[in-house]
Amino acid sequence: RTVIIGDQEWMAENLRVTRYNNGDDIPTDLYHEDWTNTTEGAYAIFPHEDADGINSPEEMVETYGKLYNWYAVVDTRGLCPQGWSVPSADDWTQLVDYVVSQGYPNEEDKPYGAGNALKSCLQVDSPLEWCNTSEHPRWSSHSTHSGFDEFGFSALPGGYLFTNGFSYFALGGGGYWWSSSEVSSTAAFFRSASRSTGRLREWRLNKTRGYSVRCVRKVGLDDPEPEPPYDLILEVYPAGAGIVTGGGEYQEGEQVDISATAEEGWGFLMWIGDTQQVDDPFSPDTWLTMPSQNVSLTARFQQDPIYGEGVTDIDGNEYLTVIIGDQEWMAENLRVTNYNNGDPIPTDLSNDEWASTTEGAYAINSHESADGINSPEEMVEAYGKLYNWYAVADSRGLCPQGWSVPSDNDWAALVDYVVAEGFPNESDNPNGAGNALKSCRQVNSPLGGECNTSTHPRWISHSDHLCFDEFGFSALPGGSRWNAGYFTNVGHLGSWWSANEFSGSSAWRRGMRGFYGDVSISYLGKNNGYSIRCIRD
């Protein structure tokens, strides 16, 4: 499998090849001293006896790949497939820098660090229920650092072979990947991920160690150049929302006027697509200089939201509401502290209490995790509170009278309506349903005004996924309190409970992420703390 991350395409599995690209065999089964002393390429296989449930070398290779010395990495006969290469130290840095730019700092103590964002989510005692496994391949358990595979890189802990040629270490606990970059005559750069940290770390060690290999390819490396004249393709999104003029065939360097006119009930939002040559992507009447390639532009239109009369909870908190299709939703996250009969909802639970309770409770995400938010009260005002599912199901009622926590069918109806309006529920689609439901408040938003902000509440910056709040739902990333008790993901992830349980210990929830365009669905432990949006009965 391969995965595109930024401007790079990576293997999403460890290399398993036994031959160079010219067909020559890569030496293996070297005796200890031979492995230590060779300056020729070689590979080894981690002993399958060290992994419960792996019964042969072939199963070990299928699970974690092979371990290569650095001399195999740089052999001129080629280790990676044609068109691919072993990543240089700079290639690894580019990957890490991209992950960091998406909001995952490359820091040891961050549960949402770059290493955890690149690790496979398969892990012993993973808090993500569908990733919780003791079967290989998987990471060993850790109370703080869990892989969540944000980008599909699926890094796995294949361990390593020491320079002595017979000592194998860290299967399940560490992943180690060569770069093609040399440090000295005896050492080279590599990257590692550990079960106990959130960082993808750069090292420099002996070339005779045995590490895993991931190959990389530059996106678009082999794309053919079109022949002139070049096509300017103009489209409308959603279909029927407006008309565009200016499309056709043009020569390189020709200046072309383009125009977008909205139909009644719609407003022009922005041009999207190949906008590099467009003078002003946020003007309906603009121009571009035709480059030496075909250009596709889409005029993106937006409807005005239909707001309801609002609603007030038992504490006196007032909420904006919005009508979307046949539903009326809160356009803000719930902040209530009491059930509808006046009983207080428990709070200030310790991590252990939060993890073990079967009673309703709420929490407030750590305000220290959001620059510019200086108190719990400001965090609540920005993102609302986080409730466990037992509060959702409590018969005393969490939502205002006449309103309720949405069922999974209610959420499905909302997403289906948004999809029917032209916003597919696809993770890699910039026009996806999630982006259409997110608040436009975003770091570096090209929409400008109040949408372009670094002040919370807001979504993190992303070059592809622009939040544009098509329907006034104004979803915000309040983060979560995991079932282990710690807080994470404010500004990056929004999660909202449904009223439907999946099992005795888990329930359905919907999620939106800063780096994807969809509304995801999953079932997670009832002791997780998520936001709530109420829906009118």
Side-chain angles (χ1 to χ4, degrees):
R1 292 182 300 109
T2 67
V3 63
I4 295 173
I5 305 175
D7 294 326
Q8 298 171 310
E9 185 174 3
W10 287 82
M11 283 185 175
E13 307 174 55
N14 291 340
L15 194 67
R16 304 188 293 271
V17 72
T18 62
R19 293 184 293 167
Y20 294 111
N21 284 338
N22 70 345
D24 290 347
D25 290 333
I26 304 169
T28 188
D29 295 330
L30 270 64
Y31 190 73
H32 306 156
E33 292 181 357
D34 294 332
W35 177 275
T36 300
N37 296 321
T38 187
T39 57
E40 301 294 324
Y43 75 86
I45 300 171
F46 204 104
H48 68 276
E49 297 88 348
D50 292 352
D52 292 340
I54 296 182
N55 300 309
S56 67
E58 291 77 15
E59 286 186 23
M60 179 61 74
V61 170
E62 188 65 24
T63 304
Y64 289 108
K66 294 184 168 70
L67 302 174
Y68 301 84
N69 66 13
W70 190 79
Y71 301 105
V73 166
V74 294
D75 195 289
T76 57
R77 290 171 286 183
L79 191 63
C80 290
Q82 293 291 341
W84 293 69
S85 59
V86 177
S88 66
D90 287 342
D91 289 327
W92 279 109
T93 298
Q94 181 179 339
L95 172 67
V96 173
D97 287 348
Y98 179 83
V99 173
V100 170
S101 75
Q102 303 306 297
Y104 301 96
N106 196 31
E107 298 176 17
E108 299 276 348
D109 60 349
K110 297 292 193 226
Y112 54 93
N116 291 337
L118 290 169
K119 292 178 194 172
S120 167
C121 74
L122 297 173
Q123 185 171 5
V124 178
D125 299 325
S126 170
L128 304 175
E129 288 193 5
W130 63 92
C131 299
N132 182 12
T133 181
S134 60
E135 296 181 0
H136 291 275
R138 80 322 181 251
W139 290 86
S140 300
S141 175
H142 194 272
S143 59
T144 303
H145 292 286
S146 300
F148 50 92
D149 206 14
E150 181 72 18
F151 302 92
F153 188 81
S154 301
L156 283 167
Y160 69 95
L161 173 58
F162 192 60
T163 54
N164 60 18
F166 61 87
S167 298
Y168 292 84
F169 299 98
L171 186 73
Y176 306 82
W177 298 273
W178 280 122
S179 84
S180 60
S181 299
E182 185 177 40
V183 176
S184 67
S185 61
T186 59
F189 288 101
F190 69 99
R191 290 276 180 162
S192 72
S194 168
R195 74 175 187 92
S196 59
T197 74
R199 181 182 179 190
L200 193 71
R201 186 173 179 182
E202 184 181 78
W203 301 79
R204 54 194 77 184
L205 283 175
N206 197 289
K207 296 175 180 178
T208 57
R209 290 191 172 216
Y211 293 149
S212 302
V213 170
R214 290 288 182 97
C215 300
V216 68
R217 184 179 80 90
K218 299 292 189 208
V219 175
L221 189 64
D222 300 318
D223 293 342
E225 292 291 332
E227 295 296 326
Y230 301 104
D231 293 327
L232 173 58
I233 304 166
L234 301 182
E235 297 180 336
V236 171
Y237 194 91
I243 57 174
V244 290
T245 58
E249 289 187 349
Y250 299 96
Q251 296 294 328
E252 178 185 0
E254 191 171 352
Q255 183 171 309
V256 185
D257 293 324
I258 58 175
S259 179
T261 304
E263 297 288 356
E264 185 176 356
W266 293 86
F268 174 81
L269 182 64
M270 62 183 296
W271 295 98
I272 57 177
D274 302 327
T275 58
Q276 297 89 343
Q277 308 298 324
V278 177
D279 178 59
D280 184 359
F282 301 98
S283 172
D285 301 305
T286 187
W287 58 270
L288 73 151
T289 301
M290 199 68 188
S292 58
Q293 63 185 37
N294 296 333
V295 173
S296 294
L297 294 171
T298 299
R300 178 75 179 77
F301 294 90
Q302 183 176 33
Q303 283 182 312
D304 291 331
I306 304 171
Y307 292 107
E309 296 180 357
V311 66
T312 303
D313 66 28
I314 191 173
D315 294 344
N317 297 308
E318 297 179 351
Y319 301 88
L320 187 69
T321 65
V322 63
I323 296 170
I324 305 175
D326 295 328
Q327 299 172 314
E328 185 173 1
W329 288 81
M330 281 185 176
E332 306 173 59
N333 291 340
L334 194 67
R335 304 188 293 272
V336 73
T337 61
N338 295 288
Y339 292 112
N340 283 336
N341 69 346
D343 291 346
I345 305 167
T347 189
D348 294 329
L349 274 65
S350 69
N351 287 352
D352 289 343
E353 291 169 337
W354 181 269
S356 61
T357 188
T358 58
E359 301 294 327
Y362 76 84
I364 300 171
N365 209 325
S366 171
H367 69 274
E368 292 89 350
S369 64
D371 291 342
I373 295 183
N374 301 311
S375 67
E377 292 75 20
E378 289 185 19
M379 179 61 75
V380 171
E381 186 66 25
Y383 291 107
K385 294 184 168 72
L386 303 173
Y387 301 84
N388 66 13
W389 192 82
Y390 300 107
V392 169
D394 195 289
S395 60
R396 290 170 286 184
L398 198 59
C399 291
Q401 293 293 339
W403 294 67
S404 58
V405 177
S407 67
D408 194 62
N409 286 339
D410 291 327
W411 278 108
L414 172 66
V415 174
D416 288 347
Y417 179 83
V418 173
V419 170
E421 291 296 301
F423 305 96
N425 196 32
E426 299 170 351
S427 63
D428 60 349
N429 194 323
N431 292 307
N435 291 338
L437 289 170
K438 294 174 189 171
S439 166
C440 76
R441 293 181 61 88
Q442 187 174 16
V443 177
N444 298 325
S445 172
L447 297 180
E450 293 183 358
C451 295
N452 179 15
T453 181
S454 59
T455 302
H456 291 274
R458 85 307 184 261
W459 291 88
I460 61 168
S461 176
H462 196 275
S463 58
D464 294 324
H465 291 288
L466 166 68
C467 310
F468 51 88
D469 205 10
E470 179 76 18
F471 303 92
F473 189 80
S474 300
L476 284 166
S480 61
R481 186 177 190 183
W482 283 24
N483 54 16
Y486 58 87
F487 296 96
T488 187
N489 286 329
V490 66
H492 302 259
L493 172 70
S495 292
W496 295 270
W497 280 121
S498 85
N500 294 97
E501 68 176 351
F502 175 78
S503 68
S505 60
S506 61
W508 292 101
R509 61 64 117 164
R510 298 279 173 152
M512 301 178 206
R513 298 159 290 180
F515 325 114
Y516 293 103
D518 64 332
V519 181
S520 64
I521 178 173
S522 57
Y523 55 88
L524 290 171
K526 295 176 179 178
N527 288 88
N528 285 296
Y530 296 140
S531 303
I532 288 176
R533 289 292 182 96
C534 299
I535 187 173
R536 187 172 180 174
D537 295 340

